[in-house]
PDB file of all heavy atoms in Angstrom:
ATOM      1  N   GLU L1121     -21.907   3.856  10.868  1.00 90.00           N
ATOM      2  CA  GLU L1121     -22.493   4.959  10.106  1.00 90.00           C
ATOM      3  C   GLU L1121     -22.469   4.617   8.608  1.00 90.00           C
ATOM      4  O   GLU L1121     -21.539   3.949   8.142  1.00 90.00           O
ATOM      5  CB  GLU L1121     -21.762   6.265  10.412  1.00 90.00           C
ATOM      6  CG  GLU L1121     -20.283   6.049  10.360  1.00 90.00           C
ATOM      7  CD  GLU L1121     -19.435   7.133  10.994  1.00 90.00           C
ATOM      8  OE1 GLU L1121     -19.216   8.139  10.332  1.00 90.00           O
ATOM      9  OE2 GLU L1121     -18.976   6.908  12.123  1.00 90.00           O
ATOM     10  N   PRO L1122     -23.493   5.073   7.858  1.00 93.00           N
ATOM     11  CA  PRO L1122     -23.649   4.653   6.462  1.00 93.00           C
ATOM     12  C   PRO L1122     -22.428   4.945   5.586  1.00 93.00           C
ATOM     13  O   PRO L1122     -22.043   4.110   4.766  1.00 93.00           O
ATOM     14  CB  PRO L1122     -24.852   5.464   5.971  1.00 93.00           C
ATOM     15  CG  PRO L1122     -25.571   5.880   7.198  1.00 93.00           C
ATOM     16  CD  PRO L1122     -24.587   5.936   8.311  1.00 93.00           C
ATOM     17  N   ALA L1123     -21.792   6.111   5.778  1.00 95.00           N
ATOM     18  CA  ALA L1123     -20.656   6.452   4.916  1.00 95.00           C
ATOM     19  C   ALA L1123     -19.524   5.445   5.118  1.00 95.00           C
ATOM     20  O   ALA L1123     -18.917   4.959   4.156  1.00 95.00           O
ATOM     21  CB  ALA L1123     -20.169   7.865   5.212  1.00 95.00           C
ATOM     22  N   LEU L1124     -19.250   5.131   6.382  1.00 95.00           N
ATOM     23  CA  LEU L1124     -18.140   4.221   6.683  1.00 95.00           C
ATOM     24  C   LEU L1124     -18.455   2.800   6.223  1.00 95.00           C
ATOM     25  O   LEU L1124     -17.595   2.100   5.675  1.00 95.00           O
ATOM     26  CB  LEU L1124     -17.844   4.245   8.182  1.00 95.00           C
ATOM     27  CG  LEU L1124     -16.483   3.703   8.579  1.00 95.00           C
ATOM     28  CD1 LEU L1124     -15.373   4.628   8.114  1.00 95.00           C
ATOM     29  CD2 LEU L1124     -16.385   3.487  10.085  1.00 95.00           C
ATOM     30  N   ALA L1125     -19.717   2.376   6.428  1.00 96.00           N
ATOM     31  CA  ALA L1125     -20.103   1.033   5.999  1.00 96.00           C
ATOM     32  C   ALA L1125     -19.982   0.914   4.478  1.00 96.00           C
ATOM     33  O   ALA L1125     -19.423  -0.053   3.961  1.00 96.00           O
ATOM     34  CB  ALA L1125     -21.528   0.730   6.449  1.00 96.00           C
ATOM     35  N   ALA L1126     -20.483   1.931   3.758  1.00 97.00           N
ATOM     36  CA  ALA L1126     -20.428   1.897   2.293  1.00 97.00           C
ATOM     37  C   ALA L1126     -18.982   1.880   1.818  1.00 97.00           C
ATOM     38  O   ALA L1126     -18.624   1.176   0.865  1.00 97.00           O
ATOM     39  CB  ALA L1126     -21.165   3.103   1.721  1.00 97.00           C
ATOM     40  N   GLU L1127     -18.127   2.642   2.493  1.00 97.00           N
ATOM     41  CA  GLU L1127     -16.714   2.665   2.116  1.00 97.00           C
ATOM     42  C   GLU L1127     -16.066   1.298   2.328  1.00 97.00           C
ATOM     43  O   GLU L1127     -15.342   0.784   1.458  1.00 97.00           O
ATOM     44  CB  GLU L1127     -15.964   3.726   2.938  1.00 97.00           C
ATOM     45  CG  GLU L1127     -14.505   3.778   2.548  1.00 97.00           C
ATOM     46  CD  GLU L1127     -13.665   4.693   3.424  1.00 97.00           C
ATOM     47  OE1 GLU L1127     -14.212   5.663   3.985  1.00 97.00           O
ATOM     48  OE2 GLU L1127     -12.469   4.421   3.543  1.00 97.00           O
ATOM     49  N   ALA L1128     -16.359   0.691   3.487  1.00 97.00           N
ATOM     50  CA  ALA L1128     -15.769  -0.614   3.802  1.00 97.00           C
ATOM     51  C   ALA L1128     -16.227  -1.660   2.786  1.00 97.00           C
ATOM     52  O   ALA L1128     -15.448  -2.511   2.358  1.00 97.00           O
ATOM     53  CB  ALA L1128     -16.159  -1.033   5.211  1.00 97.00           C
ATOM     54  N   VAL L1129     -17.502  -1.574   2.378  1.00 98.00           N
ATOM     55  CA  VAL L1129     -18.057  -2.542   1.432  1.00 98.00           C
ATOM     56  C   VAL L1129     -17.407  -2.386   0.053  1.00 98.00           C
ATOM     57  O   VAL L1129     -16.876  -3.340  -0.520  1.00 98.00           O
ATOM     58  CB  VAL L1129     -19.591  -2.377   1.316  1.00 98.00           C
ATOM     59  CG1 VAL L1129     -20.131  -3.175   0.140  1.00 98.00           C
ATOM     60  CG2 VAL L1129     -20.268  -2.793   2.616  1.00 98.00           C
ATOM     61  N   SER L1130     -17.432  -1.163  -0.486  1.00 97.00           N
ATOM     62  CA  SER L1130     -16.917  -0.995  -1.856  1.00 97.00           C
ATOM     63  C   SER L1130     -15.425  -1.286  -1.886  1.00 97.00           C
ATOM     64  O   SER L1130     -14.925  -1.977  -2.781  1.00 97.00           O
ATOM     65  CB  SER L1130     -17.235   0.398  -2.408  1.00 97.00           C
ATOM     66  OG  SER L1130     -16.354   1.367  -1.894  1.00 97.00           O
ATOM     67  N   ASN L1131     -14.706  -0.813  -0.885  1.00 98.00           N
ATOM     68  CA  ASN L1131     -13.260  -1.048  -0.839  1.00 98.00           C
ATOM     69  C   ASN L1131     -12.960  -2.546  -0.756  1.00 98.00           C
ATOM     70  O   ASN L1131     -12.123  -3.069  -1.498  1.00 98.00           O
ATOM     71  CB  ASN L1131     -12.668  -0.301   0.370  1.00 98.00           C
ATOM     72  CG  ASN L1131     -11.164  -0.452   0.471  1.00 98.00           C
ATOM     73  OD1 ASN L1131     -10.674  -1.403   1.062  1.00 98.00           O
ATOM     74  ND2 ASN L1131     -10.422   0.476  -0.115  1.00 98.00           N
ATOM     75  N   GLY L1132     -13.686  -3.246   0.100  1.00 97.00           N
ATOM     76  CA  GLY L1132     -13.451  -4.681   0.286  1.00 97.00           C
ATOM     77  C   GLY L1132     -13.742  -5.469  -0.979  1.00 97.00           C
ATOM     78  O   GLY L1132     -12.954  -6.324  -1.377  1.00 97.00           O
TER      79      GLY L1132
END
Side-chain angles (χ1 to χ4, degrees):
E1121 46 196 279
L1124 198 69
E1127 181 186 333
V1129 168
S1130 78
N1131 182 273

